[in-house]
Amino acid sequence: MSKAKLFQIVLFSFFANFLIAQNIILPEKQFTEIFFGRELSDPYRYMEDPGNSLVQQWFKENSIATRSILNDISGRKEIVDKLVEIENRKSYSVTLLSVTDDNYFFYLKTTDKDKTGKLYFKQGEDGSEVLLYDPSNYKIGKKDEYVINYLKPSWDHKVVALGLSKNGEEIGDIAFLDVETKSIQKEVIPNTWPAELKGINWLSDNSGIIYQHIPDIDPNDKNYILNTESVLYKLGDNPLQHKVIFSKNNNPEFNVKPEDFPLLCKFGQNDKYILVFLAGASNYYDCYYAKAEDLKRNKIDWKLLFKKEDQIKDQILINEDLYCLSAKNASNFSVFKTSVLDFNLEKKTVVVPEDTKEVIDDFVITKDGLFYSTTKNGVEAHLYFVSNRETKEIVSPISAGAITMQIKNKFSSEIWLSYSGWINPKHRYRYDTANNRFIDAPLSPVIAYPEYADFVVKEIEIPSHDGVMVPVSLIYKKGLQKNKLNNVLIDGYGAYGTSLTPIFEPIYLSWVLNDGVYAVSHVRGGGEKGDNWHQGAYKGNKSNSWKDLIATAEYLIKEKITSKERIAISSGSAGGILVGRAITERPDLFKVMLCENGTLNTTRIKEISNGQNNMKEFGNPDIEEEFNALYEMDSYQHLKKGVAYPACLISVGINDARVPPAISGKFVARLKASTTSQNPILFAVNYDTGHGMDSSDLQLYNDYADGFAFALWQMGHPKFKFLGSQN
């Protein structure tokens, strides 16, 4: 075959895949429902049926065509190669560190030769490292790839409880590793999710654990992750048999809802009381307490401690003293102390009063006193210490946007502090309280990143549609020209009170390396400005989040930093509401939307996996006011035929059990049938991942390179071209 003929075949293949991706259209099937007098059209409702062969074929065709197109964008591989090169500068990285009371360090370590982290331990911070377990040896002979996503050593450090999951899934097994023999015990507990559901608590005598059991783990079942149970399991027993200590069925007197997770709070080996709270997609919860010795009885005598209306976000119990982080009458939070046996807000002692300028993020208690961290606008972090009723700010060794704290236990003096920023790698210290001294305590090698030396971080506030000032973080190279020609990527989230705090992430900095401006819009719905900021885009107020994002784009255009032809917006999961509604409300304002595993069809919230839990944040469709709010935030329902929509890359992991892939699929199908523009609408389906929480570094690098290369191609960046379009 001649080279010319071969070139023609290859060129035809390029064009064919591009046209296939654009024109893979599913038929509309008339379907309407009426809610409180409002008629909803849902022509792709049938896509929610996981057994529909036509839909599954459509998913596969989109996956193949989209993959071919993305692979043929010049510059994409260069992004991946650069991220891999940066990652390989580290000879290893350490995660999931757990320090026992008797000073044993257990952690995952990933070297440049490892596909996933292996379990190690050592005695003391400077002890000799011992390899304990490689998760690739779990269930040998099966094609599944397992990762360790959680670990908890017993009090005597002889056994380690490991959370293991496969193929990008989150729910998996709890296995027990014998430290002396380095072998997994034969009893393995299924249907668990310790990495998400408050982890594991060891019994004081090391004989067993308390964990969260999930009766139904099939995401296609209507009872998926409902009616979960806090249970006690004794080592060596049948893993399918356990003692329920708190659940809907076991404790009917407390009106536990099917979607509530009754989770046991972390407790110490010698604690006299235990706490359980009804968790879920909410910052606040009902909490109950009982004597720790009741764990030995058939029935635990639980008593109500506080209600969710008390707005307590976190708590620490020391003997009978209960320290609480609360937003009650304190939007930026305060810390108060009361008694577990006489909880009374009228008798509380305020330990840390609310600061009107800084939000309290976290607090810990050690033998020496109480440490707490704050942030201003979610991006400027400070550290404070309270002892003998005196509060002082601890002057940090470096400036940072976020501070995380780790202690050995509440009766020890040992505390470690990690500082991070947008362009500064995490720096970890051990803090010597007695001498007010920071001691370097890195978990991984300290690496130099000269390519970021000329990067600038600028923290600003911009007015939104209603005059409210929204924090925006801008990262760009020195010498930024206000010539309207800068390619801008705006990231955001805006849900659950979750703040987008500064972390060092080369993935996002790769956008800046390619001469772009990376912006983080700290929209309402997050926690950057306290509880009121969250409430500002909660349920019926949700529209403020995407209007804040729209205001951010308009500000950058007004300041001549960019133009609407050069703005991409990006988010995922609950952030799908943010970006989906931004392009459906202002399709003219954005060039590209990137969305991963997005919540794009909120009126269906009650019918999808984990939906009933998320109704706590977004609304209940059975209540008229809340249904109207869900409709307003439903991107799928706001797509209109005859509108020119931006270019979109929408991606899903087929094993996602949080947001069903069908939700994104419905949005893509309707978007393709609605848009009048020639902008590509691509649907990337990964059959080896889930919600993205357990994806490997290489998988993440490829996913983000897909999005960035796609966006820069659409913006006309000379380095990023669709090679199939060349002649």
Side-chain angles (χ1 to χ4, degrees), residues 143-380:
K143 295 181 180 179
D144 300 318
E145 294 184 357
Y146 281 85
V147 299
I148 298 172
N149 55 30
Y150 178 85
L151 65 91
K152 185 65 174 286
S154 58
W155 301 110
D156 60 7
H157 71 263
K158 292 182 179 180
V159 180
V160 184
L162 299 176
L164 292 137
S165 61
K166 59 181 174 64
N167 304 336
E169 298 175 3
E170 296 177 90
I171 296 174
D173 301 337
I174 294 175
F176 298 95
L177 180 83
D178 185 290
V179 174
E180 183 178 359
T181 64
K182 302 180 184 179
S183 60
I184 294 289
Q185 298 179 5
K186 65 178 182 178
E187 294 84 12
V188 173
I189 304 174
N191 294 33
T192 67
W193 198 0
E196 177 69 16
L197 301 182
K198 208 63 177 180
I200 292 167
N201 278 287
W202 279 91
L203 299 178
S204 59
D205 61 0
N206 302 294
S207 64
I209 63 169
I210 298 171
Y211 72 99
Q212 196 74 8
H213 170 67
I214 307 172
D216 194 328
I217 61 171
D218 180 1
N220 296 316
D221 191 287
K222 65 179 181 178
N223 291 316
Y224 172 69
I225 62 172
L226 296 180
N227 301 308
T228 62
E229 305 168 318
S230 188
V231 301
L232 187 156
Y233 168 76
K234 288 295 189 77
L235 297 183
D237 285 354
N238 183 340
L240 301 181
Q241 296 177 351
H242 41 241
K243 172 186 174 182
V244 177
I245 63 172
F246 204 110
S247 72
K248 181 179 185 298
N249 293 331
N250 198 59
N251 303 89
E253 68 274 23
F254 296 131
N255 192 30
V256 181
K257 297 181 176 61
E259 62 269 22
D260 290 336
F261 297 118
L263 304 180
L264 202 71
C265 294
K266 179 181 178 181
F267 65 87
Q269 187 175 18
N270 298 313
D271 282 358
K272 298 178 181 179
Y273 299 94
I274 53 176
L275 308 179
V276 69
F277 61 94
L278 302 181
S282 174
N283 285 332
Y284 312 121
Y285 38 77
D286 295 345
C287 183
Y288 304 85
Y289 77 99
K291 293 181 180 179
E293 63 185 29
D294 282 3
L295 290 171
K296 300 175 183 178
R297 300 175 180 172
N298 290 328
K299 182 72 173 179
I300 296 177
D301 183 21
W302 294 105
K303 295 182 174 64
L304 177 67
L305 183 57
F306 57 78
K307 300 285 287 182
K308 62 182 178 182
E309 289 77 15
D310 295 318
Q311 295 181 271
I312 293 172
K313 188 176 182 179
D314 199 7
Q315 61 285 314
I316 296 174
L317 184 59
I318 298 182
N319 298 320
E320 294 179 359
D321 291 331
L322 183 70
Y323 293 80
C324 299
L325 178 64
S326 173
K328 186 77 170 181
N329 300 319
S331 175
N332 284 358
F333 294 92
S334 67
V335 178
F336 66 80
K337 183 178 77 169
T338 184
S339 170
V340 70
L341 299 179
D342 184 24
F343 183 89
N344 189 331
L345 293 182
E346 300 300 322
K347 298 179 181 179
K348 69 184 180 183
T349 300
V350 176
V351 180
V352 182
E354 179 189 20
D355 187 317
T356 58
K357 295 181 180 180
E358 299 176 17
V359 177
I360 301 175
D361 282 333
D362 193 13
F363 79 107
V364 297
I365 295 176
T366 70
K367 176 183 178 182
D368 303 305
L370 182 149
F371 293 83
Y372 69 95
S373 60
T374 68
T375 57
K376 180 180 179 181
N377 288 347
V379 295
E380 180 186 319

Side-chain angles (χ1 to χ4, degrees), residues 92-144:
Y92 65 88
S93 61
V94 170
T95 57
L96 300 187
L97 172 67
S98 180
V99 184
T100 64
D101 291 356
D102 53 357
N103 211 37
Y104 279 82
F105 287 60
F106 291 84
Y107 51 91
L108 292 190
K109 179 178 177 179
T110 308
T111 71
D112 53 4
K113 297 180 177 62
D114 294 326
K115 194 171 184 180
T116 187
K118 299 175 184 177
L119 177 66
Y120 291 80
F121 91 116
K122 58 185 178 181
Q123 184 175 7
E125 202 159 9
D126 300 318
S128 299
E129 184 177 74
V130 178
L131 172 62
L132 285 178
Y133 190 67
D134 181 348
S136 66
N137 295 324
Y138 187 65
K139 296 188 178 180
I140 295 176
K142 294 191 175 183
K143 295 181 180 179
D144 300 318

